[in-house]
Amino acid sequence: MSAPLLETRNLTKAFGQKTGWLAKPKILCASSSIDLQLNARERLGIVGESGSGKSTLGRLILGLTPPTEGEIFFEGVNHKARSLQGWKQFRVRTSLVQQNPLSALNPQMTIGEQISEGLLVHHFASRAASYERAAAMLDQVGLSSAMMSRYPHQMSGGQRQRVVIARALILDPKLVVFDEAVSALDVSVQAQVVALLRDLWQQRDLAYVFITHDLRVVRHVVDRIAVMYLGRVVETGDIKSVYEWPRHPYTRALLASVPSMDPTIRNIQPPINGELDPGKIAGGCPFRPRCPFAIERCGTEAPLLRDVAGQRVACHRAEEFPRSVQMGKEVA
Amino acid sequence: MMAQSASPTRSKRSFTSIFRLPVGILLCATWIAVILIVAIFAHWLAPFDYTQQAPLTRFAPPLKLSNHLLGTDFLGRDLLSNLLAATQTTLMVALIGGTISAIVGTSLGFLSAHFGGWVDNLVMGIADAMASVPFMIIALGVLAVFGSSPLLFVLLMGVFNWWRYARLARGLVLGANADGYAEAARIVGVPSLRIYLRHILPNIAGPLVVQFTLNFPEIVLMESGLSFLGVGIKPPAISLGLMISYGTSYFAIAWWLVALPGLVLVLTTLSISLLGDYLRDRLDARLR
Amino acid sequence: MTGFILSKAVRAFAVLFSTALFVFVVLRFSGDPAERMLGEFATPEAQAAFRTLWGLDKSIPEQFLIYLQHAIQGDFGKSFADGRDVFDIITQSIPKTLTVSVSAFIIAILLGIPAGIVAAIRRDSAIDRLVMATAVLGHSIPMFLVGLIFIFIFAVWLRVLPSSGSSTWRHAILPIATFALYNAASISRFARATLIEVLEQPYIAAARGDGIPPSEIILRHALPNAAIPLVTMLGILATSLLGGTVLVETVFAWTGIGAQFVRAVGQGDLNVVQAMILVFTVFVVMINLTVEILYAFLNPKIRSQQ
């Protein structure tokens, strides 16, 4: 197999938080030592609560914010080694779909202008030709080309999200980051956009990272999943096997909190206790304060990602948890 | 919300909405229009050369002499002609100065937001420093050291209040950057300059225009203040502040020498600031 | 708390020092002081003596140190216009300025804040309309024009007060009135806006719901919360007052630092200008320091930090 499309090595982003006049800045790790690999046409889901650093990871991958430590390779080229021209190329070959389609669209520009802008600024097509291609792209995302001259506020939320997707795909990127791309939409619209996403993926040479907190949606659109907790990946693996047999207590708790149709199997896992407090953890497992299975070792030794039956899990007790059948069947 | 009103039907709507404007605002707009016409055509409108002296008809009160509608001053100069020329000067200085500070301030605000870090600290530091010292003092100090010249004076008016635009533009750009559409453009590879001019500027123009209308009367007041103190506009040029300054010496015998330029000055600043307040309340909640 | 005040004081001192340095350097580069102070036709010996006295033959940093040394001892040189000691001019004019501006400021607060409170509580009443109209007008009329109008009414027309000068207390009435009225307008408008904003907060609605009487709500709940923005605003106003002294004192020929400054600027009396700018900076810095300390006392978040 050739080199992966995207690779991150030991990726860390720390934010300083100043607390007082003379106090040392508190370091908050939005993401810490993340190693990820993504092949061409692969679909990776990143899930976690808000504050888990999943959006920061997306921004790091796209080079929108520089990492504190670590490297990112796209098509074998290190971000740090990219020239201005290299960045331009990177921008063409990657894209982003943001969370809130209303703010992601410029209120003062028509849909057509916004979709075709990428083609124009890179001189891929003349104004007329780029408009034509934008119209074709609109058609592909299921919108009529009559929408070209509309403004964002004249559309519905689902239509706007389709426009944002069309804009992201107009340059035919190899990698797209979807950052909570459907979370702001109604459930019925979500389903439509998810179906659209699958269609588009099948027609194109496209890999994507799907960032979300919604475990119901992510299941239908990715091949592989990485679960993040306080800036760290705590479990990663094939989507099917993770849903069938989650090995990390956090993943288990997340999956258990998804509402189930069957009342007898609801909330078998103990719910997660306590709030996220990134400042508190020092040494040991970051999940320990909220983990019902924590043992003494968890307080002293931070678990590293290790192979457990084909998945990678960061938990000392990963082997001890039973298969939780209810998740694999019922969450749909 | 403001963005929502921006639509293809915009022009049509603002046309009909003229008829829904409050009477006061209509009056203000009318006065501003009159004053602008006067400023542009002062030379053709003036019945006399404003410097032309007539020792025999000094201190003529308004409406007394048929050829000097608004009377004459202490040198027998026609007050109406002087008023027209002075209005022109005052408005020109304020317009040029206001435009300079809008451009300089907005650009610095954009730079500040774009680069962040020490550039941001430097620009905002200077802005804070300028905001904390009364500009009147700064202006007097500068004019004392470098001497008063028309160019320096206009530039000074251009420096006055630049920091308001800088602070405002910086905040708006940071907000727009967080809004997503700018980031989306960046992701597609749109160059920064194009993002700022094509994407962000049209979206934040509203508050900046409102700032301009709020700032304009302040420049007029600053100009007339400095001219009144004798360090601003200098003869043979004339401005409203300078006219009032001249009139002060003859206040007891010729009230109109102060009252008429004063009235024009107050009506102008009042109209523009009322219009600015109105625009701000209507268009923009962010400035409040 | 002490640390907070100390850090602010250090910063204030740094501002003062850099202003002194900045003004000094600008003035030194804008022309030869010896020629400017003594006039073009001074003898070379006189010029040389002047240079030695002020250390003008030394390097700029050394000159600045000498200037600072003199300044700390209260020696700012002599006025180029009338040969008086600059220090004497300053010490004689500061009390005059303080008399007018401090009393005007106090009157403005005593007038403006109650007016603003009443306007906020009784919105759209006659008082509210009056407050708003005066405030808008105050933003549009130049202060010197207000002064002239007062002179016209009370000195020219009614002949009850002297129009200009600074010899008796009666001369102070018109400048104080002008200044106070002008600033009361902005204070009342700001107090009104701030109080209205506070009154719309949920905790006020909650207090109303608890049946707390309106007067109590205003005094115990609304005003303490409106105090912080008000103090900040009053600080800004106090510095702008400083700029206003220039106009008001000139209109009424009141010989405070404002009028002296204008005279010095007009006559190119750079020794006085330089010293006056420093005096103004000291005032600005002191006002800002006071505001920051007051702010710290009023804000429970900062107050509780030990």
Side-chain angles (χ1 to χ4, degrees):
Chain A
M1 190 138 182
S2 59
L5 181 73
L6 174 80
E7 190 178 0
T8 72
R9 285 187 203 151
N10 189 30
L11 198 57
T12 301
K13 176 80 181 177
F15 291 106
Q17 189 185 49
K18 251 198 141 166
T19 48
W21 184 52
L22 283 172
K24 263 193 190 166
K26 217 160 65 176
I27 301 297
L28 296 179
C29 280
S31 60
S32 132
S33 327
I34 292 177
D35 298 291
L36 281 178
Q37 288 195 353
L38 189 70
N39 294 315
R41 276 188 64 74
E42 200 177 1
R43 303 173 296 176
L44 171 68
I46 294 180
V47 297
E49 296 164 279
S50 63
S52 62
K54 51 194 196 310
S55 286
T56 306
L57 180 60
R59 296 175 56 80
L60 282 168
I61 291 172
L62 292 174
L64 290 172
T65 176
T68 316
E69 251 177 80
E71 264 114 37
I72 304 156
F73 295 87
F74 180 75
E75 295 181 324
V77 181
N78 193 336
H79 268 15
K80 286 175 187 163
R82 259 174 218 287
S83 60
L84 214 61
Q85 194 58 36
W87 275 112
K88 230 172 158 181
Q89 240 158 39
F90 177 76
R91 292 277 167 250
V92 172
R93 298 178 71 78
T94 60
S95 200
L96 170 72
V97 173
Q98 291 139 313
Q99 173 167 21
N100 182 350
L102 183 58
S103 79
L105 292 171
N106 188 334
Q108 304 276 358
M109 284 167 79
T110 64
I111 301 307
E113 282 172 332
Q114 298 194 54
I115 297 179
S116 61
E117 188 174 30
L119 293 168
L120 269 177
V121 295
H122 292 291
H123 309 290
F124 288 163
S126 68
R127 190 167 287 269
S130 61
Y131 261 63
E132 228 162 80
R133 274 175 63 182
M137 192 69 233
L138 263 188
D139 184 54
Q140 279 190 49
V141 297
L143 293 177
S144 122
S145 54
M147 298 257 180
M148 288 287 282
S149 55
R150 297 251 181 114
Y151 284 88
H153 69 269
Q154 297 168 309
M155 313 182 95
S156 72
Q159 288 174 327
R160 280 184 213 132
Q161 195 54 291
R162 284 167 193 263
V163 170
V164 172
I165 292 172
R167 181 179 63 187
L169 294 180
I170 188 84
L171 295 175
D172 201 18
K174 299 298 152 219
L175 171 69
V176 176
V177 173
F178 290 89
D179 187 359
E180 300 278 11
V182 295
S183 309
L185 303 175
D186 290 345
V187 177
S188 59
V189 184
Q190 261 182 10
Q192 294 167 14
V193 175
V194 163
L196 169 70
L197 220 59
R198 297 176 74 141
D199 287 349
L200 289 169
W201 179 74
Q202 262 153 19
Q203 296 154 12
R204 290 162 176 269
D205 175 18
L206 174 70
Y208 61 74
V209 176
F210 195 92
I211 297 169
T212 184
H213 66 271
D214 190 335
L215 284 126
R216 279 171 311 148
V217 170
V218 69
R219 200 170 180 225
H220 304 284
V221 288
V222 303
D223 310 309
R224 213 148 55 80
I225 188 171
V227 180
M228 284 186 72
Y229 183 77
L230 288 188
R232 292 161 181 82
V233 173
V234 293
E235 179 163 11
T236 171
D238 189 59
I239 181 83
K240 229 171 156 185
S241 48
V242 171
Y243 270 62
E244 263 169 23
W245 197 338
R247 305 280 182 162
H248 194 283
Y250 179 61
T251 318
R252 298 172 76 85
L254 274 186
L255 285 170
S257 66
V258 173
S260 166
M261 284 303 158
D262 183 349
T264 60
I265 51 171
R266 235 177 242 167
N267 282 337
I268 290 176
Q269 283 281 344
I272 304 176
N273 298 309
E275 292 283 311
L276 277 173
D277 184 0
K280 246 185 205 161
I281 38 157
C285 175
F287 187 54
R288 176 198 33 166
R290 298 166 76 190
C291 182
F293 309 105
I295 51 173
E296 206 176 309
R297 190 182 168 199
C298 304
T300 53
E301 185 188 337
L304 299 173
L305 271 181
R306 62 199 171 87
D307 280 309
V308 179
Q311 282 151 244
R312 290 178 67 76
V313 191
C315 176
H316 294 309
R317 304 182 66 187
E319 286 87 348
E320 300 171 35
F321 302 113
R323 171 193 284 260
S324 41
V325 191
Q326 79 275 16
M327 298 324 328
K329 292 248 167 72
E330 297 304 325
V331 183
Chain B
M1 277 304 103
M2 196 198 97
Q4 295 229 340
S5 62
S7 71
T9 55
R10 184 170 34 176
S11 51
K12 198 171 159 193
R13 219 184 311 156
S14 63
F15 179 72
T16 53
S17 68
I18 283 181
F19 300 104
R20 273 184 273 125
L21 284 176
V23 182
I25 296 302
L26 264 180
L27 283 176
C28 291
T30 316
W31 176 258
I32 294 167
V34 169
I35 263 325
L36 277 177
I37 292 170
V38 162
I40 297 166
F41 300 108
H43 285 300
W44 292 281
L45 289 174
F48 292 89
D49 178 359
Y50 74 91
T51 53
Q52 184 188 321
Q53 303 180 2
L56 292 179
T57 50
R58 291 165 60 206
F59 297 120
L63 306 175
K64 189 83 172 281
L65 299 175
S66 58
N67 55 344
H68 297 291
L69 194 62
L70 295 182
T72 58
D73 72 359
F74 57 100
L75 293 172
R77 295 178 295 194
D78 180 50
L79 202 70
L80 178 61
S81 309
N82 258 286
L83 212 49
L84 291 174
T87 306
Q88 185 182 39
T89 315
T90 296
L91 282 188
M92 283 307 280
V93 168
L95 208 60
I96 298 173
T99 311
I100 294 176
S101 52
I103 292 173
V104 169
T106 307
S107 313
L108 285 172
F110 272 74
L111 285 181
S112 208
H114 179 77
F115 289 107
W118 69 267
V119 177
D120 190 16
N121 285 333
L122 183 73
V123 173
M124 287 302 121
I126 300 175
D128 288 348
M130 281 214 48
S132 73
V133 182
F135 188 75
M136 191 61 118
I137 309 281
I138 301 178
L140 281 168
V142 170
L143 292 169
V145 173
F146 297 103
S148 175
S149 77
L151 180 69
L152 180 68
F153 187 66
V154 170
L155 285 181
L156 255 182
M157 294 300 104
V159 177
F160 178 45
N161 278 349
W162 68 271
W163 49 271
R164 292 206 181 158
Y165 293 97
R167 281 183 185 168
L168 181 64
R170 174 180 175 274
L172 290 170
V173 169
L174 289 179
N177 274 335
D179 236 10
Y181 65 85
E183 186 170 70
R186 198 161 291 128
I187 278 292
V188 177
V190 180
S192 293
L193 195 64
R194 184 179 157 102
I195 291 179
Y196 286 126
L197 295 181
R198 181 91 174 79
H199 288 258
I200 295 184
L201 196 57
N203 278 298
I204 65 171
L208 288 173
V209 170
V210 171
Q211 181 66 53
F212 189 87
T213 57
L214 293 176
N215 200 24
F216 195 88
E218 288 191 31
I219 302 189
V220 172
L221 292 185
M222 181 59 67
E223 181 278 317
S224 58
L226 287 169
S227 299
F228 176 77
L229 294 176
V231 292
I233 297 294
K234 295 237 165 149
I238 188 83
S239 80
L240 293 173
L242 191 56
M243 279 185 82
I244 297 173
S245 172
Y246 285 155
T248 313
S249 318
Y250 311 97
F251 202 16
I253 53 169
W255 55 270
W256 59 93
L257 296 187
V258 168
L260 291 178
L263 194 66
V264 173
L265 187 67
V266 172
L267 283 179
T268 307
T269 50
L270 189 65
S271 304
I272 299 176
S273 63
L274 281 177
L275 192 71
D277 279 350
Y278 175 76
L279 281 179
R280 176 180 57 180
D281 292 348
R282 278 298 298 273
L283 290 177
D284 195 73
R286 277 171 285 193
L287 267 173
R288 247 175 273 173
Chain C
M1 197 69 213
T2 331
F4 174 82
I5 293 176
L6 208 67
S7 78
K8 296 290 177 198
V10 168
R11 218 184 58 187
F13 190 77
V15 170
L16 202 59
F17 180 82
S18 37
T19 314
L21 181 65
F22 183 72
V23 174
F24 182 85
V25 170
V26 168
L27 278 175
R28 278 299 170 274
F29 280 109
S30 66
D32 179 10
E35 202 168 284
R36 198 145 48 182
M37 297 300 157
L38 300 177
E40 272 176 77
F41 306 109
T43 57
E45 294 82 48
Q47 284 198 4
F50 184 86
R51 287 204 177 92
T52 336
L53 179 65
W54 286 94
L56 296 177
D57 39 3
K58 302 200 172 74
S59 70
I60 296 268
E62 275 178 288
Q63 285 186 36
F64 181 61
L65 286 180
I66 292 171
Y67 177 79
L68 272 190
Q69 208 181 351
H70 282 276
I72 287 166
Q73 293 163 358
D75 180 3
F76 291 94
K78 295 210 184 309
S79 162
F80 163 52
D82 52 13
R84 285 166 68 200
D85 240 20
V86 175
F87 187 74
D88 291 343
I89 299 180
I90 291 173
T91 46
Q92 280 162 21
S93 47
I94 283 183
K96 294 248 179 204
T97 296
L98 288 182
T99 311
V100 166
S101 49
V102 171
S103 37
F105 194 53
I106 293 171
I107 295 173
I109 292 175
L110 292 179
L111 271 176
I113 290 191
I117 293 175
V118 172
I121 299 171
R122 305 212 182 284
R123 286 176 76 172
D124 294 320
S125 67
I127 289 187
D128 186 21
R129 278 160 208 273
L130 185 72
V131 162
M132 288 308 281
T134 338
V136 170
L137 223 68
H139 270 283
S140 318
I141 304 185
M143 190 155 23
F144 59 85
L145 200 58
V146 178
L148 290 175
I149 293 170
F150 277 10
I151 292 180
F152 189 77
I153 296 175
F154 295 101
V156 177
W157 186 34
L158 298 176
R159 294 173 189 274
V160 289
L161 287 169
S163 69
S164 63
S166 58
S167 40
T168 70
W169 63 270
R170 293 182 63 226
H171 287 95
I173 294 177
L174 283 184
I176 291 176
T178 308
F179 231 172
L181 205 67
Y182 204 79
N183 288 297
S186 352
I187 294 179
S188 61
R189 186 187 192 180
F190 190 84
R192 173 186 181 273
T194 311
L195 201 60
I196 284 178
E197 200 170 313
V198 172
L199 286 175
E200 278 165 2
Q201 297 297 315
Y203 56 79
I204 298 292
R208 280 207 184 103
D210 288 349
I212 297 170
S215 59
E216 178 101 355
I217 288 179
I218 299 287
L219 291 175
R220 295 276 318 273
H221 295 263
L223 281 183
N225 283 294
I228 293 170
L230 258 176
V231 163
T232 314
M233 188 269 176
L234 288 179
I236 295 171
L237 207 71
T239 40
S240 81
L241 210 70
L242 223 50
T245 57
V246 164
L247 286 168
V248 167
E249 292 183 4
T250 304
V251 169
F252 294 100
W254 181 261
T255 52
I257 47 173
Q260 296 286 4
F261 185 51
V262 172
R263 184 198 56 77
V265 168
Q267 297 175 343
D269 194 349
L270 291 183
N271 257 357
V272 178
V273 170
Q274 187 175 9
M276 287 290 185
I277 291 179
L278 282 186
V279 170
F280 279 119
T281 316
V282 170
F283 275 117
V284 170
V285 164
M286 275 184 354
I287 291 168
N288 287 344
L289 193 62
T290 315
V291 169
E292 267 168 341
I293 292 171
L294 265 181
Y295 188 83
F297 271 112
L298 287 171
N299 192 340
K301 256 189 246 159
I302 305 181
R303 202 189 330 167
S304 60
Q305 263 173 24
Q306 287 304 317

